[in-house]
Amino acid sequence: VITVDPNMNIDQYGVPKDIAMNLTFPEVVTSFNKSKLYKLVRNGPMIYPGASSLKKHKIEKDGSITPSTISLKYVDRESIVLEEGDIVYRHLQNGDIALFNRQPSLHRMSMMAHRIKVVSGKTFRLNVTVCKPYNADFDGDEMNLHMPQSIQSSMEIEEIACVSNQIISPKGNHPCIGI
């Protein structure tokens, strides 16, 4: 369910902390983000910000690569060693890009990309100026969150479907975002 939050920017979307801890984004371990991902793995799935699982690539004796997924809920997280190329499924964080839609999705402005802002409470938060394209009136309206599962898809929806690129309506060539 969505509610109004005038403190959100038009390109932001408030996501409850419980949902941000349930959904994940797969982040590949590199030399640049290894220390950050170590902290998330140590926090595990129950502490925000954290991570729910880890995918390691095990090299067999015959040279084949076998991926194995490790749930971080019931393991000793202190003993885990991250290697470059491992994938950490981390919680959603502020600034992540996600696709939101309100059913029925009849035109492209019913599905737009927003930057996530993790908030307290139980409802999604949306700036009032972005309501018109979604045809939202806050009388129990529900919206769906679609989290991209790669950096490439994140960049694609940011460039194609970002709210700032949807301000002018393709139908009448006039602004569709406003109070």
Side-chain angles (χ1 to χ4, degrees), residues 4-20:
V4 170
D5 190 346
N7 297 317
M8 294 284 165
N9 292 334
I10 65 166
D11 68 337
Q12 284 183 324
Y13 197 83
V15 176
K17 188 171 148 185
D18 292 340
I19 294 174

Side-chain angles (χ1 to χ4, degrees), residues 3-149:
T3 55
V4 170
D5 190 346
N7 297 317
M8 294 284 165
N9 292 334
I10 65 166
D11 68 337
Q12 284 183 324
Y13 197 83
V15 176
K17 188 171 148 185
D18 292 340
I19 294 174
M21 289 174 67
N22 192 21
L23 296 174
T24 59
F25 180 79
E27 191 162 341
V28 179
V29 177
T30 65
S31 60
F32 301 108
N33 65 2
K34 191 183 262 188
S35 62
K36 177 186 92 167
L37 293 177
Y38 260 121
K39 291 176 187 174
L40 299 179
V41 167
R42 300 288 189 259
N43 284 346
M46 305 308 277
I47 299 172
Y48 182 83
S52 64
S53 62
L54 168 69
K55 185 182 280 186
K56 295 189 82 54
H57 297 286
K58 182 180 175 185
I59 300 174
E60 303 293 336
K61 291 180 183 177
D62 63 356
S64 63
I65 298 173
T66 306
S68 63
T69 303
I70 302 166
S71 172
L72 298 175
K73 193 168 188 175
Y74 302 112
V75 297
D76 179 21
R77 295 186 294 272
E78 297 297 323
S79 65
I80 291 177
V81 177
L82 293 178
E83 298 171 5
E84 291 186 23
D86 291 346
I87 300 172
V88 175
Y89 290 87
R90 65 166 175 80
H91 296 157
L92 302 187
Q93 297 175 350
N94 291 341
D96 285 344
I97 193 95
L99 199 60
F100 295 93
N101 85 309
R102 180 163 182 269
Q103 307 275 334
S105 300
L106 300 174
H107 53 84
R108 76 174 192 205
M109 282 114 28
S110 293
M111 272 188 112
M112 292 191 287
H114 294 262
R115 297 215 168 269
I116 290 175
K117 182 176 180 185
V118 179
V119 295
S120 60
K122 299 288 183 189
T123 61
F124 289 119
R125 314 278 175 78
L126 185 66
N127 189 305
V128 71
T129 58
V130 189
C131 296
K132 188 176 177 185
Y134 288 122
N135 194 23
D137 51 8
F138 305 103
D139 60 353
D141 296 337
E142 297 177 12
M143 289 186 71
N144 304 311
L145 180 147
H146 305 279
M147 191 65 197
Q149 294 298 295

